[in-house]
Amino acid sequence: MLIKKFFSIKEMALWTRWETLLFALLAASVTILYDIFDQKWIVLPWTPIALVGTAVAFIVSFRNNAVYGRLWEARKIWGGIVNDSRTFSIHVGDMVTNEYAKEGEALAEDELKKERIILVHRHMAWLTALRYAMRSKKKWESFMEHQTNREWAKKIHTPEFVIDEKDALAEYLSEKELEFVMRVGGNKAATIIKLQSQHLRRLKEKGLLWEFSFLVLEKRLASLLTLQGKSERIKNFPYPRQYATLNVYFVWVFVALLPFGIVPEFAKLGDELHDAYPFISEFFIWISIPFSTLVSWVFHTMERIGTVGENPFEGSANDVPISTIARNIEIDVRTCVGDSFIPDPFEVKENVQM
Amino acid sequence: MLIKKFFSIKEMALWTRWETLLFALLAASVTILYDIFDQKWIVLPWTPIALVGTAVAFIVSFRNNAVYGRLWEARKIWGGIVNDSRTFSIHVGDMVTNEYAKEGEALAEDELKKERIILVHRHMAWLTALRYAMRSKKKWESFMEHQTNREWAKKIHTPEFVIDEKDALAEYLSEKELEFVMRVGGNKAATIIKLQSQHLRRLKEKGLLWEFSFLVLEKRLASLLTLQGKSERIKNFPYPRQYATLNVYFVWVFVALLPFGIVPEFAKLGDELHDAYPFISEFFIWISIPFSTLVSWVFHTMERIGTVGENPFEGSANDVPISTIARNIEIDVRTCVGDSFIPDPFEVKENVQM
Amino acid sequence: MLIKKFFSIKEMALWTRWETLLFALLAASVTILYDIFDQKWIVLPWTPIALVGTAVAFIVSFRNNAVYGRLWEARKIWGGIVNDSRTFSIHVGDMVTNEYAKEGEALAEDELKKERIILVHRHMAWLTALRYAMRSKKKWESFMEHQTNREWAKKIHTPEFVIDEKDALAEYLSEKELEFVMRVGGNKAATIIKLQSQHLRRLKEKGLLWEFSFLVLEKRLASLLTLQGKSERIKNFPYPRQYATLNVYFVWVFVALLPFGIVPEFAKLGDELHDAYPFISEFFIWISIPFSTLVSWVFHTMERIGTVGENPFEGSANDVPISTIARNIEIDVRTCVGDSFIPDPFEVKENVQM
Amino acid sequence: MLIKKFFSIKEMALWTRWETLLFALLAASVTILYDIFDQKWIVLPWTPIALVGTAVAFIVSFRNNAVYGRLWEARKIWGGIVNDSRTFSIHVGDMVTNEYAKEGEALAEDELKKERIILVHRHMAWLTALRYAMRSKKKWESFMEHQTNREWAKKIHTPEFVIDEKDALAEYLSEKELEFVMRVGGNKAATIIKLQSQHLRRLKEKGLLWEFSFLVLEKRLASLLTLQGKSERIKNFPYPRQYATLNVYFVWVFVALLPFGIVPEFAKLGDELHDAYPFISEFFIWISIPFSTLVSWVFHTMERIGTVGENPFEGSANDVPISTIARNIEIDVRTCVGDSFIPDPFEVKENVQM
Amino acid sequence: MLIKKFFSIKEMALWTRWETLLFALLAASVTILYDIFDQKWIVLPWTPIALVGTAVAFIVSFRNNAVYGRLWEARKIWGGIVNDSRTFSIHVGDMVTNEYAKEGEALAEDELKKERIILVHRHMAWLTALRYAMRSKKKWESFMEHQTNREWAKKIHTPEFVIDEKDALAEYLSEKELEFVMRVGGNKAATIIKLQSQHLRRLKEKGLLWEFSFLVLEKRLASLLTLQGKSERIKNFPYPRQYATLNVYFVWVFVALLPFGIVPEFAKLGDELHDAYPFISEFFIWISIPFSTLVSWVFHTMERIGTVGENPFEGSANDVPISTIARNIEIDVRTCVGDSFIPDPFEVKENVQM
């Protein structure tokens, strides 16, 4: 997530340089053919092109709206993970106690605290597994295939691309559990929730967790599973590819037609200047090149900007900053149960939170 | 669900070839009448046609938005099924125990496990019954009536169209229960939930399920019934046919009027070229054919692409991939209760998940 | 609810025949005055009319969106009734038992079943009372005042318009309770829920319903009351009449202005043909009549089609099919508690489910 | 809430008469200056004005959408109050019993009934206090400042503007409680909920309310507080004034520019008629007055109609009918607990429910 | 939050004076070059500019819609805090009692009241900590960087900018707890909830809080944590900067092109006046300056007005009035538990509630 007010003009210009060049070349070709090679017939009527432009503005706007919806929903889900994590750690703190302990099962306070810390660490392991799953690569996530996107990506720091998942999990799980999670395969995060549930059950059977508190915490696990599932849903179900296809083809149809409609408008204006400004009149048509490029750029950038938020966990600068969120959760919950080690927040690079 | 970035130009061209041909023929007919048969009067004023075009862009955009809403809701529902399935299996794992067993009712651990596996298998049976119900044919699901849609459908693999429902259910239900479910008729999935509830009740009466855990699991069954009902709602309540009718008629009205408005615009441009390019001027009007076809194609494809997602369980390439989701659930929950057999994920054909 | 793919052209033409005629007459009048009576001054500038047309397209699209929202919400509510009904019957089946029966209150299995069936039948009575309330006539539901709408309505079968409410309720309630419900007046459906609650309380006091199961079932009744209230809300709170008024007046303003703007455009085109096609040129202006009618038809039908879904329980072909839904619920829940009589689904007439 | 199909043309004309007059005067001034005083230069180019018109149509449509959202949300909240009120009264009826009464605390049936009726009456008091709070005047609720709005308001009957709040509350509260509620000040409705909670607690402590039923009813009170808070939120947080400001200024900018763009269009059309209809041609420009007025009226009324629903509890004809809803609740819940007095519904005046 | 009907014309004019000046200068430069320096060739075709204008209207409208959504959601969250706060204080009042007190743990009524007041004061501390967190400065919150925004901000009273956070918290927390909250660092509000939970646990262990009431209150704390998290989400996740960037660049592209398209339109109109009004004709083109400025102002203000609500806790006049809401909560809950001191509401300055 970008955390400054705007992308600068320079950033935008660099980011869109290849297509801008293409638009300029296209506009230039048409103008050259028209003016230098005197092929005055390569023109198209403007009004139907404008109608296509209006239709394109419609569908691209709707798409960007839908994409914003995806992004916002993704952020809400991770906001929900923050909330449930805090609640989980507070509940663990005040529900894992000796009050209902069965005979001979009561523990010393520091042993109780150890149980609580195991639960909270395992929770961090769940968060870590989820984080890595979200950053995995999907076939339709082609952000990185675009050179100017890759340039951006190189500048920023995405922890999941740097640290190995197993190493990351090892910080939170016992060796035995880590080995189990890696071996079982399938959905690692769900496996970790399963381990949490088994731990809670053991605590309940010893009376270290009141049986109705057990139900409350099981409900919390169910809620975490739901948030995990929602996050996976956004990861695994892209903006429908048929719509995405449509958008990109329509924009290119419009952009391709545009110079053919704009050049004659400039030719007409140029002709009107003929008597008064014979010199300028001759070159006036060349203004159509930057003008046509600018209009193309507006429509194409509108489309492209929608694309970058389509997959909010792809690892781009416009992602939902799940690494940062996860780290902040870690700081909160470790503080809450009085853990001995509190990590630092992730650093921000190039004004981008990951 | 398509899982690559875009449909290729070739795929789009093939998919829309018949209507494209029709647009070309229509445009050609008008041009031929106008130019060859010299019927210069078959023209219509452009601006009211453009106004109709704007109105069409509006209603088609709104429709596509609504259809996207249906698709997204369908995916959410099946995401909910994933979440509830995982939670159900974890809860079954940690709630079906001997802790509260009544005298003489306690079971050996492997017998308890058997009970759990029966519950989880029956859950898979419910999922299967729901899956088949979703793939059944509705009168308004006319996707397959379109030849180019059928071509697509042939290439992809839809398990429900290949394997018999009873055979599929037999994998998960005891013979007696299978026979019961098939005989009772009506809503098979609901009948299976009924069986689950009876099983839970029996476990509770023996104390193998704590009475408050029984309430928690009954709530989960209610939630599964709700998700089932929501999925059925989307299946059984199409996008209102009056709106669908309107869209298709309006697009065709626009497309039919279009060449009559575009041909004279080209004629005018052609006339202007008369002195400078006598030869080109004569044939310039023929450019209106590809141009008119292109504009028609943009508007019609915008409409048609909305249609393909209208019924998200129809069996098309743009469906919510319920077979894949169901299989992934199966892998997750079987792993969770330590089942002996874990199936493979479904294969992906032509980049389409079903 | 229409259950075929589209309304046919013939159906649409018949349904809109009166206004189409009116548009044609209006366009013809203007053309006749202009051409026959040579009143060339009855013209208006086209562009401001086009601007009004754009504004109309906006507000009508937004309205249709809102109306679709109402329809979809109504369907969701009735989908919720399906879900709650199934859950209610399953819970009644597995919660009304002897397990917690107080001394001397335990019942034989067939007597227990009778209690369950009374509860489920009374649930059907609730559904019936709600159904009839939804089909009652509201002042703003003017669908039937339009002749072409009445024609449609005659062809379809709406059970609530044919069978008397008391007779329908008599199938599900004991004589005493029926008499009570009819006498008390006010909201019949709410009264029936009250009877359910009293029955549950009696069962709980005898121990035939565990006291915590009692809370679960009371919660279900609260949820049914909520769904009933939501359905009544949609029935009793129409799309705001000020907006509806606006839409209809604006469309008619546009439609009334249209021919004055279109006729001169055709006159101009006709004039241009004068030299080449003297005969056709003379009559060319008459093409404005079908053209103007067509454009009027597009805008007016867009508005009218929104109107028909405005009140989704009015008894029109575009309603939410509450009779069908209620009958399907009846089949489901009777099957679930093992009732002796299972009714048939309602028949579909003219491809319309009611 | 208007309960007939449409506002009549007469009603609309009367309601918008002052601004219509203003538009006519403006258009007339421009025409007079142009034609009589021959100031042919007071013209503006039409196309940029049309662009402003399009932008205005956009933002006004979006606003009306948002306002409809507010109205619909307000109605949903009051629908929720209906549901919770019914549930509350049914639960009170079947949960305030002797079943768990502590020794010596059991009451005779008519004394129990009295307790129930006190609870239900106090609930009506809450509803009444809320109703009066909703009808209080806010600084931004300027509906009544407009003369034509006041005319409407005079014709309809708003109980809260006629009956004193204290008198209204006195019908439902004991003298002591009434005195307490009026004295404590602050939020009266919240104070009444507080009294309800204390009453429930007393009943629980005597065992006249099972302790888990106590939790259920406390949850219901929390839910009523939530609905109250939501209703207050809509009352206290208007549609953002910066957007409202924008809408009104933009519409007036457009309306002010309009005649300057339309008059020259008519002048041009008039000129073209010069030879054929010298007399009509001279006066043709005057048609621009009604035409310009009509277009202004369309855009301005579109804006104004949005304004009237902005504050759905203001006391206008387009309000959510909270008085009617509250009265219907009263009838329902009094019937439910077998109260001796059942009031009549409020009368409807001028087809407006308040 | 502004609480009068509209911003006055003067306020709007002052607020937008710098950009208005810029638009005027731009328009004047073009006109001067065109007319005084006779550079008649600095023109651009109008229709593509109008198309860009339409696209800009689209995306700005969509943005404003999304921003309104953020604002409304923020207000909903704070409305939820109101509801939960009232419920919390009522529940504390009727659930912290001696009814279930363990032997020797029962307290005198005034000691119980003290416990309740500690809980309610600590709740106010939570609210205060949240309030200060919401008013902290984010990198993208650039409202104050704009001089005209700063002018507005100076006039209004934002308590969080005036009173030190620690002093504010000291009113509600014991010295020891205050010291703890300030020392622990991290999320202060979450720490305070943790303290609440520990207090509840102590009360439960003594039996001053029934164990099931403990679960109810813990659920309420979880709900408060959720609302806190939602509020933080809106604070920490701005409207995506890529979209914001797009909007601002597109508007400026449009505004920069505008005069080049409008000047020639005026030149044309001026030329037509040449014969009849030689004097006026010469200066007619200068009208393009105010006209162009006005149209620029409409589009730019539409964009800017969206910006001001983007970050609803930034401290601007268009914020969600969290200080006022928090103070009102304080008045409500202190009244509810019978506190001795009730503060006054915050004063309103310049018709702005903070």
Side-chain angles (χ1 to χ4, degrees), chain A residues 38-41 43-45 47-49 51-52 55 58-59 62 66 70 73 102 139-140 142 184 187 193-194 197-198 201 204-205 211-212 215 218-219 222 225-226 228-229 232-234 236-246 248-250 253 257 307, chain B residues 1-9 12 46 50 54 57-58 61 64-65 67-68 71-72 75-76 83 86-87 90-91 93-95 97 99-100 210 212 216 220 254 265-266 269 273 277 280 284 291 294-295 297-299 301-302 305-306 318 332 335-336 351:
Chain A
D38 206 32
Q39 304 299 318
K40 298 283 184 280
W41 56 273
V43 297
L44 290 174
T47 45
I49 296 176
L51 183 61
V52 170
F58 258 106
I59 59 166
F62 273 107
R70 282 173 67 87
E73 194 184 346
K102 296 199 176 150
K139 259 191 158 172
W140 54 82
S142 54
V184 156
N187 192 304
I193 294 284
K194 171 78 186 157
S197 174
Q198 287 172 342
R201 174 184 159 192
K204 186 192 80 164
E205 286 176 357
E211 48 204 353
F212 289 97
L215 292 185
E218 282 287 317
K219 212 170 171 177
L225 270 178
T226 297
Q228 171 189 335
E232 290 169 356
R233 161 165 57 77
I234 288 188
N236 295 331
F237 193 70
Y239 184 74
R241 305 326 296 159
Q242 66 270 33
Y243 289 113
T245 303
L246 204 78
V248 83
Y249 285 175
F250 281 13
V253 163
L257 294 177
T307 319
Chain B
M1 188 185 74
L2 189 76
I3 59 166
K4 65 176 178 180
K5 190 153 180 68
F6 294 126
F7 285 95
S8 69
I9 294 184
M12 286 299 281
W46 166 254
T54 306
F58 258 106
S61 294
N64 287 4
N65 226 32
V67 164
Y68 171 62
L71 197 61
W72 192 231
R75 185 59 184 79
K76 274 187 171 171
N83 303 339
R86 286 178 183 163
T87 303
I90 288 184
H91 279 185
D94 289 316
M95 290 180 175
T97 68
E99 198 184 354
Y100 302 87
W210 180 36
F212 289 97
V216 168
R220 191 64 50 198
F254 172 69
E265 302 273 324
F266 273 84
L269 285 176
L273 298 168
Y277 307 83
I280 286 172
F284 187 76
F291 185 75
L294 190 63
V295 176
W297 181 87
V298 164
F299 277 82
T301 304
M302 185 159 90
I305 218 110
N318 301 296
D332 276 14
T335 308
C336 179
N351 286 309

Side-chain angles (χ1 to χ4, degrees), chain C residues 30-177:
Chain C
V30 175
T31 312
I32 287 167
L33 277 171
Y34 189 95
D35 199 51
I36 310 274
F37 294 94
D38 206 33
Q39 304 298 318
K40 297 285 185 278
W41 56 275
I42 51 161
V43 297
L44 290 173
W46 166 254
T47 45
I49 297 176
L51 183 61
V52 171
T54 305
V56 165
F58 258 107
I59 58 166
V60 171
S61 294
F62 273 107
R63 203 272 302 266
N64 287 4
N65 227 31
V67 165
Y68 172 62
R70 282 173 67 86
L71 196 60
W72 192 232
E73 194 184 346
R75 185 59 184 80
K76 273 186 171 172
I77 292 164
W78 279 79
I81 290 176
V82 172
N83 302 339
D84 267 24
S85 298
R86 285 176 183 165
T87 303
F88 182 74
S89 66
I90 288 183
H91 280 185
V92 162
D94 289 316
M95 290 180 175
V96 176
T97 67
N98 281 324
E99 197 184 355
Y100 302 87
K102 296 196 177 152
E103 240 191 270
E105 297 285 7
L107 294 180
E109 180 52 32
D110 66 327
E111 280 185 287
L112 274 176
K113 191 177 163 183
K114 232 164 77 184
E115 294 289 334
R116 288 182 204 128
I117 284 179
I118 291 172
L119 280 163
V120 162
H121 280 198
R122 207 187 280 111
H123 181 74
M124 295 313 307
W126 169 77
L127 203 54
T128 305
L130 185 55
R131 201 155 46 90
Y132 275 87
M134 289 303 104
R135 295 281 196 217
S136 71
K137 180 91 179 68
K138 292 281 161 187
K139 257 191 161 174
W140 54 81
E141 293 179 349
S142 55
F143 184 79
M144 292 301 186
E145 287 162 21
H146 208 300
Q147 189 202 329
T148 50
N149 290 342
R150 263 201 312 278
E151 288 169 13
W152 256 103
K154 258 186 240 159
K155 291 188 200 166
I156 58 184
H157 171 69
T158 310
E160 292 78 17
F161 294 169
V162 177
I163 305 165
D164 183 68
E165 184 178 9
K166 201 179 164 183
D167 294 347
L169 285 171
E171 285 190 47
Y172 306 112
L173 292 175
S174 72
E175 221 164 293
K176 207 179 120 195
E177 286 188 356

Side-chain angles (χ1 to χ4, degrees), chain D residues 38 40-41 47 62 73 139 142 187 197 201 204 211 218 229 232-233 237 241-242 245 249-250, chain E residues 1 3-5 7-9 46 61 72 83 86 91 94 99-100 277 280 284 298 318 351:
Chain D
D38 206 32
K40 297 286 185 277
W41 56 275
T47 44
F62 272 107
E73 193 184 346
K139 256 190 160 175
S142 55
N187 192 305
S197 175
R201 174 184 159 192
K204 186 192 79 164
E211 48 204 352
E218 282 288 316
E232 290 169 356
R233 162 165 56 78
F237 194 70
R241 304 327 296 159
Q242 66 269 34
T245 303
Y249 286 175
F250 282 11
Chain E
M1 187 185 75
I3 59 166
K4 64 177 179 178
K5 190 153 180 68
F7 284 95
S8 69
I9 294 184
W46 166 255
S61 295
W72 192 232
N83 303 338
R86 287 176 181 164
H91 279 184
D94 290 315
E99 198 184 355
Y100 302 86
Y277 308 84
I280 286 172
F284 186 77
V298 164
N318 301 296
N351 287 307

Side-chain angles (χ1 to χ4, degrees), chain B residues 133 135-142 145 235-236 314, chain C residues 3 353:
Chain B
R135 295 279 197 219
S136 71
K137 180 91 179 68
K138 292 282 162 186
K139 257 191 159 174
W140 55 81
E141 293 180 348
S142 55
E145 287 162 20
K235 179 73 182 178
N236 294 331
E314 198 175 352
Chain C
I3 59 167
Q353 261 184 6

Side-chain angles (χ1 to χ4, degrees), chain E residues 252-264:
Chain E
W252 282 104
V253 163
F254 173 68
V255 155
L257 294 177
L258 195 66
F260 298 94
I262 281 183
V263 159

Side-chain angles (χ1 to χ4, degrees), chain B residues 207-249:
Chain B
L208 299 174
L209 182 63
W210 180 36
E211 48 204 352
F212 289 97
S213 295
F214 168 74
L215 292 185
V216 168
L217 287 178
E218 282 288 317
K219 213 169 171 177
R220 191 64 50 198
L221 293 186
S223 159
L224 290 168
L225 270 177
T226 297
L227 289 164
Q228 171 189 335
K230 283 181 175 175
S231 193
E232 289 170 354
R233 162 165 57 78
I234 288 188
K235 179 73 182 178
N236 294 331
F237 194 70
Y239 183 74
R241 304 327 296 160
Q242 65 270 34
Y243 289 114
T245 302
L246 204 78
N247 275 293
V248 83
Y249 285 176

Side-chain angles (χ1 to χ4, degrees), chain B residues 18-37 42 252 254-264 266 284-297:
Chain B
W18 295 120
E19 62 258 33
T20 308
L21 192 64
L22 190 61
F23 304 146
L25 284 177
L26 181 64
S29 313
V30 175
T31 312
I32 287 167
L33 277 172
Y34 188 95
D35 199 52
I36 310 275
F37 294 95
I42 52 160
W252 282 105
F254 172 69
V255 155
L257 294 176
L258 194 66
F260 298 94
I262 281 184
V263 159
F266 273 84
F284 187 76
I285 200 169
W286 296 90
I287 301 176
S288 78
I289 301 178
F291 185 75
S292 183
T293 304
L294 190 63
V295 176
S296 298
W297 181 87

